[in-house]
Amino acid sequence: MTLLLHISRRLFSASHTASVGRQPLANIVPPAASTTQKSDLPQPRPVTPVPPSSQHTSLQSFLAYARDTKLSTSSTTYVGTYYEYLCALSLRRLGFDLTRTGGRADAGIDLLGSWQLPDASHPLRCIVQCKKLKAKAGPNLVRELEGAFAGAPTGWRGEDVVGVLCASREATKGVREAIRNARRGLMWCQIEDIGEDVGRVRQMLWNQRVGALGAEGVSVGIRHMLVAGDVKGQDSHDEVVLMWKGEVWEPS
């Protein structure tokens, strides 16, 4: 299978979004006033809490567990757990190192970990919520994410922790405004399941507070991946990439 790659390099705002057809793919929330300062002191990643299940710790091991236990693919447990692992796997190529912590007593936090950025002296600590939505996203999801900070484990507390909301639907105007006006550093990632246990990041946005913590100068672009032999115009492989100094940035 041959892949033909093309990169769109852009810095996005609420009024400037990349799109395929009519659906926006990526944008950056316009800056808001912030007093958060980026720390230059190295901060080792804290110890991640023990995963909620000893039977699976990755998407592939969860799929094996689901087959062995005959877990229904339409059950709430399957759908939620599958999407959490899919989000963690999809964000890895954008510099995230995430561990699933979701479960019955997760305090509203599904994934914990860090985000490595090209100009940050240390990775940003992240708490993540994952939402497999059927209806459009609303600002209530942002308020729910803000509330999850109160239940964050030791090591993921403080003003320099970023809250990430992963959802299967794109951010609405209300969501973007809520993220822009949030007191904490917040981020939205739209992640789609495109089949064969593969996820695609279609939209990524964050507020100025995240920029002040280490994302300043990083922008979002779209990588057009056309598979040889595909139907002309078919959009099945466009995805978000991070741009740094005019080039696609990928973690080492």
Side-chain angles (χ1 to χ4, degrees), residues 91-209:
L91 289 173
R92 183 179 299 170
R93 65 174 182 76
L94 296 177
F96 288 83
D97 181 11
L98 302 170
T99 300
R100 179 178 176 267
T101 57
R104 294 182 179 179
D106 60 16
I109 299 172
D110 299 315
L111 307 172
L112 278 175
S114 59
W115 185 26
Q116 181 62 60
L117 288 164
D119 195 36
S121 58
H122 56 83
L124 301 182
R125 294 171 296 159
C126 301
I127 65 171
V128 184
Q129 285 189 338
C130 304
K131 303 290 185 181
K132 187 72 163 58
L133 303 174
K134 295 182 179 180
K136 69 177 183 179
N140 60 298
L141 297 179
V142 179
R143 294 192 292 271
E144 183 180 333
L145 175 62
E146 289 180 294
F149 280 92
T154 302
W156 276 269
R157 299 173 185 171
E159 294 296 320
D160 57 347
V161 177
V162 175
V164 183
L165 218 170
C166 297
S168 53
R169 303 291 293 266
E170 67 180 89
T172 60
K173 179 181 179 181
V175 167
R176 292 194 293 268
E177 290 178 349
I179 291 177
R180 182 197 297 116
N181 297 326
R183 182 176 60 86
R184 289 183 174 271
L186 299 183
M187 176 185 299
W188 178 278
C189 298
Q190 181 193 358
I191 300 178
E192 288 184 340
D193 179 1
I194 61 175
E196 298 184 357
D197 307 321
V198 176
R200 169 176 62 171
V201 183
R202 282 187 63 92
Q203 183 185 52
M204 192 174 191
L205 56 88
W206 58 80
N207 61 13
Q208 177 66 14
R209 289 157 183 78

Side-chain angles (χ1 to χ4, degrees), residues 1-9 93 200 221-228 230 236-241 243 247-248 250:
M1 180 173 66
T2 303
L3 297 181
L4 309 176
L5 306 184
H6 173 69
I7 305 299
S8 294
R9 296 182 295 175
R93 65 174 182 76
R200 169 176 62 171
I222 301 300
R223 173 157 47 197
H224 304 294
M225 303 177 66
L226 303 178
V227 180
D230 275 1
S236 60
H237 297 277
D238 286 15
E239 58 184 8
V240 161
V241 293
M243 309 295 296
E247 302 292 338
V248 174
E250 295 179 339

